[in-house]
mmCIF file of all heavy atoms in Angstrom:
data_model
loop_
_atom_site.group_PDB
_atom_site.id
_atom_site.type_symbol
_atom_site.label_atom_id
_atom_site.label_comp_id
_atom_site.label_asym_id
_atom_site.label_seq_id
_atom_site.Cartn_x
_atom_site.Cartn_y
_atom_site.Cartn_z
ATOM 1 N N GLY A 215 8.089 6.627 15.884
ATOM 2 C CA GLY A 215 8.154 8.042 16.294
ATOM 3 C C GLY A 215 6.862 8.791 16.385
ATOM 4 O O GLY A 215 6.805 9.848 16.934
ATOM 5 N N PHE A 216 5.829 8.168 15.888
ATOM 6 C CA PHE A 216 4.564 8.941 15.821
ATOM 7 C C PHE A 216 3.839 9.125 17.211
ATOM 8 O O PHE A 216 3.054 10.041 17.357
ATOM 9 C CB PHE A 216 3.611 8.240 14.793
ATOM 10 C CG PHE A 216 4.109 8.409 13.367
ATOM 11 C CD1 PHE A 216 4.880 7.462 12.813
ATOM 12 C CD2 PHE A 216 3.795 9.538 12.680
ATOM 13 C CE1 PHE A 216 5.338 7.564 11.476
ATOM 14 C CE2 PHE A 216 4.249 9.694 11.376
ATOM 15 C CZ PHE A 216 4.981 8.764 10.820
ATOM 16 N N GLY A 217 4.139 8.250 18.116
ATOM 17 C CA GLY A 217 3.552 8.385 19.440
ATOM 18 C C GLY A 217 4.021 9.627 20.158
ATOM 19 O O GLY A 217 3.268 10.259 20.953
ATOM 20 N N ALA A 218 5.206 10.184 19.800
ATOM 21 C CA ALA A 218 5.738 11.360 20.426
ATOM 22 C C ALA A 218 4.927 12.597 20.059
ATOM 23 O O ALA A 218 5.012 13.631 20.791
ATOM 24 C CB ALA A 218 7.177 11.540 19.989
ATOM 25 N N VAL A 219 4.174 12.542 18.982
ATOM 26 C CA VAL A 219 3.370 13.690 18.638
ATOM 27 C C VAL A 219 1.843 13.465 18.828
ATOM 28 O O VAL A 219 1.026 14.112 18.261
ATOM 29 C CB VAL A 219 3.647 14.140 17.192
ATOM 30 C CG1 VAL A 219 5.050 14.670 17.050
ATOM 31 C CG2 VAL A 219 3.412 13.027 16.173
ATOM 32 N N GLY A 220 1.533 12.510 19.698
ATOM 33 C CA GLY A 220 0.171 12.289 20.125
ATOM 34 C C GLY A 220 -0.670 11.354 19.281
ATOM 35 O O GLY A 220 -1.867 11.253 19.494
ATOM 36 N N MET A 221 -0.089 10.648 18.346
ATOM 37 C CA MET A 221 -0.815 9.698 17.572
ATOM 38 C C MET A 221 -0.903 8.327 18.325
ATOM 39 O O MET A 221 0.018 7.974 19.000
ATOM 40 C CB MET A 221 -0.181 9.459 16.217
ATOM 41 C CG MET A 221 -0.194 10.656 15.347
ATOM 42 S SD MET A 221 0.546 10.300 13.757
ATOM 43 C CE MET A 221 0.671 11.969 13.098
ATOM 44 N N ASP A 222 -2.034 7.653 18.148
ATOM 45 C CA ASP A 222 -2.183 6.345 18.765
ATOM 46 C C ASP A 222 -1.603 5.350 17.809
ATOM 47 O O ASP A 222 -2.011 5.255 16.617
ATOM 48 C CB ASP A 222 -3.645 6.019 19.042
ATOM 49 C CG ASP A 222 -4.233 6.895 20.111
ATOM 50 O OD1 ASP A 222 -3.434 7.519 20.913
ATOM 51 O OD2 ASP A 222 -5.449 7.030 20.167
ATOM 52 N N ARG A 223 -0.596 4.568 18.232
ATOM 53 C CA ARG A 223 0.109 3.615 17.389
ATOM 54 C C ARG A 223 -0.466 2.238 17.525
ATOM 55 O O ARG A 223 -0.729 1.777 18.626
ATOM 56 C CB ARG A 223 1.623 3.589 17.678
ATOM 57 C CG ARG A 223 2.284 4.921 17.408
ATOM 58 C CD ARG A 223 3.705 4.952 17.924
ATOM 59 N NE ARG A 223 3.633 4.852 19.369
ATOM 60 C CZ ARG A 223 4.607 4.294 20.109
ATOM 61 N NH1 ARG A 223 5.670 3.782 19.526
ATOM 62 N NH2 ARG A 223 4.528 4.192 21.397
ATOM 63 N N PHE A 224 -0.638 1.555 16.390
ATOM 64 C CA PHE A 224 -1.143 0.162 16.386
ATOM 65 C C PHE A 224 -0.153 -0.669 15.586
ATOM 66 O O PHE A 224 -0.150 -0.527 14.359
ATOM 67 C CB PHE A 224 -2.578 0.026 15.884
ATOM 68 C CG PHE A 224 -3.579 0.757 16.769
ATOM 69 C CD1 PHE A 224 -3.816 2.090 16.592
ATOM 70 C CD2 PHE A 224 -4.207 0.068 17.740
ATOM 71 C CE1 PHE A 224 -4.672 2.738 17.414
ATOM 72 C CE2 PHE A 224 -5.139 0.696 18.604
ATOM 73 C CZ PHE A 224 -5.354 2.061 18.417
ATOM 74 N N VAL A 225 0.606 -1.464 16.242
ATOM 75 C CA VAL A 225 1.632 -2.310 15.587
ATOM 76 C C VAL A 225 0.935 -3.474 14.922
ATOM 77 O O VAL A 225 0.161 -4.191 15.532
ATOM 78 C CB VAL A 225 2.727 -2.763 16.551
ATOM 79 C CG1 VAL A 225 3.695 -3.735 15.889
ATOM 80 C CG2 VAL A 225 3.464 -1.548 17.218
ATOM 81 N N CYS A 226 1.264 -3.700 13.635
ATOM 82 C CA CYS A 226 0.776 -4.798 12.860
ATOM 83 C C CYS A 226 1.918 -5.348 12.066
ATOM 84 O O CYS A 226 2.248 -4.794 11.055
ATOM 85 C CB CYS A 226 -0.406 -4.429 11.994
ATOM 86 S SG CYS A 226 -1.191 -5.785 11.206
ATOM 87 N N GLU A 227 2.565 -6.392 12.557
ATOM 88 C CA GLU A 227 3.745 -6.952 11.876
ATOM 89 C C GLU A 227 3.358 -7.932 10.726
ATOM 90 O O GLU A 227 4.161 -8.198 9.910
ATOM 91 C CB GLU A 227 4.670 -7.674 12.902
ATOM 92 C CG GLU A 227 5.198 -6.827 13.974
ATOM 93 C CD GLU A 227 6.233 -5.759 13.575
ATOM 94 O OE1 GLU A 227 6.694 -5.861 12.382
ATOM 95 O OE2 GLU A 227 6.574 -4.908 14.379
ATOM 96 N N VAL A 228 2.126 -8.432 10.771
ATOM 97 C CA VAL A 228 1.681 -9.422 9.768
ATOM 98 C C VAL A 228 0.696 -8.712 8.877
ATOM 99 O O VAL A 228 -0.509 -8.356 9.319
ATOM 100 C CB VAL A 228 0.992 -10.625 10.467
ATOM 101 C CG1 VAL A 228 0.558 -11.639 9.443
ATOM 102 C CG2 VAL A 228 1.968 -11.236 11.493
ATOM 103 N N PRO A 229 1.036 -8.438 7.601
ATOM 104 C CA PRO A 229 0.163 -7.712 6.733
ATOM 105 C C PRO A 229 -1.259 -8.260 6.600
ATOM 106 O O PRO A 229 -2.198 -7.496 6.453
ATOM 107 C CB PRO A 229 0.894 -7.732 5.366
ATOM 108 C CG PRO A 229 2.370 -7.881 5.773
ATOM 109 C CD PRO A 229 2.310 -8.794 6.991
ATOM 110 N N SER A 230 -1.393 -9.544 6.645
ATOM 111 C CA SER A 230 -2.711 -10.222 6.508
ATOM 112 C C SER A 230 -3.667 -9.799 7.700
ATOM 113 O O SER A 230 -4.890 -9.935 7.523
ATOM 114 C CB SER A 230 -2.615 -11.690 6.377
ATOM 115 O OG SER A 230 -2.018 -12.226 7.593
ATOM 116 N N GLU A 231 -3.127 -9.320 8.769
ATOM 117 C CA GLU A 231 -3.944 -8.942 9.899
ATOM 118 C C GLU A 231 -4.325 -7.441 9.876
ATOM 119 O O GLU A 231 -5.152 -7.041 10.654
ATOM 120 C CB GLU A 231 -3.209 -9.276 11.218
ATOM 121 C CG GLU A 231 -2.998 -10.742 11.442
ATOM 122 C CD GLU A 231 -2.124 -11.029 12.682
ATOM 123 O OE1 GLU A 231 -1.670 -10.061 13.334
ATOM 124 O OE2 GLU A 231 -1.852 -12.216 12.943
ATOM 125 N N SER A 232 -3.742 -6.735 8.973
ATOM 126 C CA SER A 232 -4.018 -5.299 8.934
ATOM 127 C C SER A 232 -5.479 -4.892 8.588
ATOM 128 O O SER A 232 -5.983 -3.958 9.104
ATOM 129 C CB SER A 232 -3.058 -4.576 7.983
ATOM 130 O OG SER A 232 -3.208 -5.060 6.655
ATOM 131 N N ALA A 233 -6.041 -5.673 7.692
ATOM 132 C CA ALA A 233 -7.432 -5.410 7.303
ATOM 133 C C ALA A 233 -8.377 -5.490 8.490
ATOM 134 O O ALA A 233 -9.241 -4.662 8.697
ATOM 135 C CB ALA A 233 -7.879 -6.331 6.191
ATOM 136 N N GLN A 234 -8.184 -6.497 9.316
ATOM 137 C CA GLN A 234 -9.057 -6.718 10.500
ATOM 138 C C GLN A 234 -8.859 -5.567 11.486
ATOM 139 O O GLN A 234 -9.807 -5.017 12.044
ATOM 140 C CB GLN A 234 -8.779 -8.053 11.132
ATOM 141 C CG GLN A 234 -9.654 -8.302 12.436
ATOM 142 C CD GLN A 234 -9.311 -9.580 13.070
ATOM 143 O OE1 GLN A 234 -8.394 -10.354 12.669
ATOM 144 N NE2 GLN A 234 -10.042 -9.953 14.068
ATOM 145 N N LEU A 235 -7.602 -5.187 11.685
ATOM 146 C CA LEU A 235 -7.312 -4.107 12.650
ATOM 147 C C LEU A 235 -7.896 -2.791 12.116
ATOM 148 O O LEU A 235 -8.465 -2.030 12.857
ATOM 149 C CB LEU A 235 -5.787 -3.951 12.801
ATOM 150 C CG LEU A 235 -5.277 -2.842 13.704
ATOM 151 C CD1 LEU A 235 -5.898 -2.954 15.118
ATOM 152 C CD2 LEU A 235 -3.802 -2.877 13.780
ATOM 153 N N LEU A 236 -7.731 -2.501 10.845
ATOM 154 C CA LEU A 236 -8.311 -1.339 10.255
ATOM 155 C C LEU A 236 -9.823 -1.308 10.411
ATOM 156 O O LEU A 236 -10.389 -0.246 10.793
ATOM 157 C CB LEU A 236 -7.988 -1.282 8.738
ATOM 158 C CG LEU A 236 -8.455 -0.095 7.973
ATOM 159 C CD1 LEU A 236 -7.840 1.215 8.535
ATOM 160 C CD2 LEU A 236 -8.150 -0.217 6.495
ATOM 161 N N LYS A 237 -10.504 -2.364 10.195
ATOM 162 C CA LYS A 237 -11.958 -2.435 10.378
ATOM 163 C C LYS A 237 -12.316 -2.175 11.862
ATOM 164 O O LYS A 237 -13.219 -1.401 12.122
ATOM 165 C CB LYS A 237 -12.483 -3.809 9.978
ATOM 166 C CG LYS A 237 -13.994 -3.937 10.196
ATOM 167 C CD LYS A 237 -14.661 -4.834 9.272
ATOM 168 C CE LYS A 237 -16.141 -4.998 9.485
ATOM 169 N NZ LYS A 237 -16.901 -3.879 9.942
ATOM 170 N N GLN A 238 -11.581 -2.727 12.803
ATOM 171 C CA GLN A 238 -11.879 -2.512 14.213
ATOM 172 C C GLN A 238 -11.725 -1.015 14.573
ATOM 173 O O GLN A 238 -12.532 -0.427 15.300
ATOM 174 C CB GLN A 238 -10.900 -3.280 15.085
ATOM 175 C CG GLN A 238 -11.189 -4.792 15.063
ATOM 176 C CD GLN A 238 -10.080 -5.535 15.839
ATOM 177 O OE1 GLN A 238 -9.056 -4.973 16.229
ATOM 178 N NE2 GLN A 238 -10.339 -6.816 16.077
ATOM 179 N N LEU A 239 -10.673 -0.394 14.025
ATOM 180 C CA LEU A 239 -10.426 1.022 14.327
ATOM 181 C C LEU A 239 -11.376 1.978 13.696
ATOM 182 O O LEU A 239 -11.660 3.078 14.241
ATOM 183 C CB LEU A 239 -9.013 1.383 13.983
ATOM 184 C CG LEU A 239 -7.901 0.712 14.749
ATOM 185 C CD1 LEU A 239 -6.522 1.072 14.190
ATOM 186 C CD2 LEU A 239 -7.961 1.078 16.231
ATOM 187 N N THR A 240 -11.961 1.598 12.573
ATOM 188 C CA THR A 240 -12.885 2.529 11.871
ATOM 189 C C THR A 240 -14.364 2.293 12.215
ATOM 190 O O THR A 240 -15.182 3.093 11.842
ATOM 191 C CB THR A 240 -12.668 2.427 10.363
ATOM 192 O OG1 THR A 240 -12.861 1.091 9.930
ATOM 193 C CG2 THR A 240 -11.326 2.913 9.932
ATOM 194 N N ASP A 241 -14.666 1.197 12.858
ATOM 195 C CA ASP A 241 -16.057 0.859 13.199
ATOM 196 C C ASP A 241 -16.746 1.946 13.996
ATOM 197 O O ASP A 241 -17.906 2.264 13.819
ATOM 198 C CB ASP A 241 -16.153 -0.470 13.955
ATOM 199 C CG ASP A 241 -16.206 -1.648 12.958
ATOM 200 O OD1 ASP A 241 -16.385 -1.439 11.771
ATOM 201 O OD2 ASP A 241 -16.030 -2.806 13.457
ATOM 202 N N ASN A 242 -16.077 2.562 14.939
ATOM 203 C CA ASN A 242 -16.692 3.527 15.863
ATOM 204 C C ASN A 242 -16.477 4.992 15.432
ATOM 205 O O ASN A 242 -16.915 5.898 16.090
ATOM 206 C CB ASN A 242 -16.253 3.339 17.318
ATOM 207 C CG ASN A 242 -14.766 3.552 17.449
ATOM 208 O OD1 ASN A 242 -14.096 4.051 16.580
ATOM 209 N ND2 ASN A 242 -14.297 3.199 18.625
ATOM 210 N N ASP A 243 -15.854 5.222 14.273
ATOM 211 C CA ASP A 243 -15.593 6.550 13.764
ATOM 212 C C ASP A 243 -14.839 7.446 14.701
ATOM 213 O O ASP A 243 -15.001 8.695 14.709
ATOM 214 C CB ASP A 243 -16.977 7.184 13.359
ATOM 215 C CG ASP A 243 -16.755 8.311 12.305
ATOM 216 O OD1 ASP A 243 -15.898 8.164 11.498
ATOM 217 O OD2 ASP A 243 -17.507 9.285 12.394
ATOM 218 N N TYR A 244 -14.002 6.869 15.574
ATOM 219 C CA TYR A 244 -13.206 7.618 16.498
ATOM 220 C C TYR A 244 -11.873 8.058 15.901
ATOM 221 O O TYR A 244 -11.293 9.069 16.279
ATOM 222 C CB TYR A 244 -12.978 6.771 17.795
ATOM 223 C CG TYR A 244 -12.151 7.420 18.838
ATOM 224 C CD1 TYR A 244 -12.735 8.390 19.658
ATOM 225 C CD2 TYR A 244 -10.845 7.067 19.073
ATOM 226 C CE1 TYR A 244 -11.994 9.030 20.653
ATOM 227 C CE2 TYR A 244 -10.082 7.649 20.042
ATOM 228 C CZ TYR A 244 -10.664 8.607 20.814
ATOM 229 O OH TYR A 244 -9.934 9.230 21.838
ATOM 230 N N TYR A 245 -11.340 7.276 15.012
ATOM 231 C CA TYR A 245 -10.045 7.486 14.426
ATOM 232 C C TYR A 245 -10.037 7.913 13.011
ATOM 233 O O TYR A 245 -10.811 7.465 12.164
ATOM 234 C CB TYR A 245 -9.139 6.206 14.526
ATOM 235 C CG TYR A 245 -8.638 5.871 15.931
ATOM 236 C CD1 TYR A 245 -9.179 4.755 16.555
ATOM 237 C CD2 TYR A 245 -7.724 6.637 16.473
ATOM 238 C CE1 TYR A 245 -8.689 4.440 17.819
ATOM 239 C CE2 TYR A 245 -7.219 6.309 17.754
ATOM 240 C CZ TYR A 245 -7.696 5.225 18.419
ATOM 241 O OH TYR A 245 -7.240 4.896 19.675
ATOM 242 N N ALA A 246 -9.077 8.776 12.690
ATOM 243 C CA ALA A 246 -8.619 9.009 11.336
ATOM 244 C C ALA A 246 -7.399 8.128 11.203
ATOM 245 O O ALA A 246 -6.561 8.080 12.153
ATOM 246 C CB ALA A 246 -8.286 10.483 11.104
ATOM 247 N N ILE A 247 -7.185 7.436 10.107
ATOM 248 C CA ILE A 247 -6.166 6.385 9.957
ATOM 249 C C ILE A 247 -5.039 6.847 9.077
ATOM 250 O O ILE A 247 -5.282 7.406 8.028
ATOM 251 C CB ILE A 247 -6.798 5.076 9.458
ATOM 252 C CG1 ILE A 247 -7.970 4.634 10.257
ATOM 253 C CG2 ILE A 247 -5.715 3.957 9.433
ATOM 254 C CD1 ILE A 247 -7.698 4.296 11.672
ATOM 255 N N ILE A 248 -3.850 6.500 9.451
ATOM 256 C CA ILE A 248 -2.622 6.711 8.603
ATOM 257 C C ILE A 248 -2.005 5.293 8.432
ATOM 258 O O ILE A 248 -1.775 4.602 9.386
ATOM 259 C CB ILE A 248 -1.643 7.638 9.227
ATOM 260 C CG1 ILE A 248 -2.215 9.037 9.383
ATOM 261 C CG2 ILE A 248 -0.360 7.671 8.398
ATOM 262 C CD1 ILE A 248 -1.315 10.002 10.066
ATOM 263 N N LEU A 249 -1.731 4.957 7.191
ATOM 264 C CA LEU A 249 -1.044 3.718 6.869
ATOM 265 C C LEU A 249 0.273 4.018 6.145
ATOM 266 O O LEU A 249 0.291 4.845 5.312
ATOM 267 C CB LEU A 249 -1.920 2.818 5.931
ATOM 268 C CG LEU A 249 -3.234 2.305 6.503
ATOM 269 C CD1 LEU A 249 -4.148 1.861 5.427
ATOM 270 C CD2 LEU A 249 -3.004 1.187 7.493
ATOM 271 N N PRO A 250 1.336 3.270 6.506
ATOM 272 C CA PRO A 250 2.585 3.489 5.776
ATOM 273 C C PRO A 250 2.396 3.136 4.338
ATOM 274 O O PRO A 250 1.566 2.374 3.946
ATOM 275 C CB PRO A 250 3.581 2.537 6.472
ATOM 276 C CG PRO A 250 3.013 2.299 7.811
ATOM 277 C CD PRO A 250 1.510 2.385 7.591
ATOM 278 N N GLY A 251 3.297 3.634 3.468
ATOM 279 C CA GLY A 251 3.221 3.383 2.008
ATOM 280 C C GLY A 251 3.401 1.883 1.720
ATOM 281 O O GLY A 251 4.026 1.130 2.479
ATOM 282 N N VAL A 252 2.885 1.482 0.521
ATOM 283 C CA VAL A 252 2.957 0.105 0.129
ATOM 284 C C VAL A 252 4.385 -0.324 -0.230
ATOM 285 O O VAL A 252 4.675 -1.480 -0.293
ATOM 286 C CB VAL A 252 2.013 -0.176 -1.083
ATOM 287 C CG1 VAL A 252 0.599 0.015 -0.689
ATOM 288 C CG2 VAL A 252 2.376 0.709 -2.259
ATOM 289 N N ARG A 253 5.258 0.606 -0.446
ATOM 290 C CA ARG A 253 6.702 0.308 -0.781
ATOM 291 C C ARG A 253 7.563 0.135 0.469
ATOM 292 O O ARG A 253 8.728 0.074 0.382
ATOM 293 C CB ARG A 253 7.250 1.379 -1.698
ATOM 294 C CG ARG A 253 6.555 1.461 -3.021
ATOM 295 C CD ARG A 253 7.170 2.463 -3.902
ATOM 296 N NE ARG A 253 6.417 2.538 -5.122
ATOM 297 C CZ ARG A 253 6.407 3.606 -5.897
ATOM 298 N NH1 ARG A 253 7.093 4.668 -5.567
ATOM 299 N NH2 ARG A 253 5.603 3.620 -6.958
ATOM 300 N N GLY A 254 6.956 0.182 1.595
ATOM 301 C CA GLY A 254 7.679 0.069 2.849
ATOM 302 C C GLY A 254 8.117 1.456 3.334
ATOM 303 O O GLY A 254 7.623 2.479 2.881
ATOM 304 N N ASN A 255 8.967 1.509 4.299
ATOM 305 C CA ASN A 255 9.430 2.744 4.899
ATOM 306 C C ASN A 255 10.380 3.430 3.996
ATOM 307 O O ASN A 255 11.572 3.030 3.861
ATOM 308 C CB ASN A 255 10.038 2.431 6.252
ATOM 309 C CG ASN A 255 10.414 3.674 7.001
ATOM 310 O OD1 ASN A 255 10.219 4.761 6.538
ATOM 311 N ND2 ASN A 255 10.963 3.495 8.216
ATOM 312 N N THR A 256 9.957 4.500 3.373
ATOM 313 C CA THR A 256 10.819 5.294 2.469
ATOM 314 C C THR A 256 11.385 6.491 3.172
ATOM 315 O O THR A 256 12.269 7.118 2.634
ATOM 316 C CB THR A 256 10.044 5.801 1.254
ATOM 317 O OG1 THR A 256 8.977 6.691 1.768
ATOM 318 C CG2 THR A 256 9.422 4.696 0.456
ATOM 319 N N GLY A 257 10.943 6.751 4.366
ATOM 320 C CA GLY A 257 11.496 7.862 5.165
ATOM 321 C C GLY A 257 10.784 9.170 4.933
ATOM 322 O O GLY A 257 11.033 10.134 5.601
#
């Protein structure tokens, strides 16, 4: 749902790949990052 309000969505289905994706997105200081909670989707 977050794309509907202008956020850029980056799907990461494999948790072990999230660190690499996070590093790529923060390298150029273009993005502020939001990560879902560690307990999964609580709503």
Side-chain angles (χ1 to χ4, degrees):
F216 291 94
V219 293
M221 295 180 190
D222 293 340
R223 296 173 296 151
F224 294 87
V225 176
C226 186
E227 300 289 350
V228 181
S230 61
E231 296 174 359
S232 62
Q234 180 181 3
L235 179 57
L236 181 61
K237 176 150 178 42
Q238 289 173 349
L239 293 175
T240 57
D241 275 348
N242 62 11
D243 203 34
Y244 180 75
Y245 285 111
I247 308 294
I248 296 175
L249 295 162
V252 295
R253 295 183 186 156
N255 185 359
T256 62

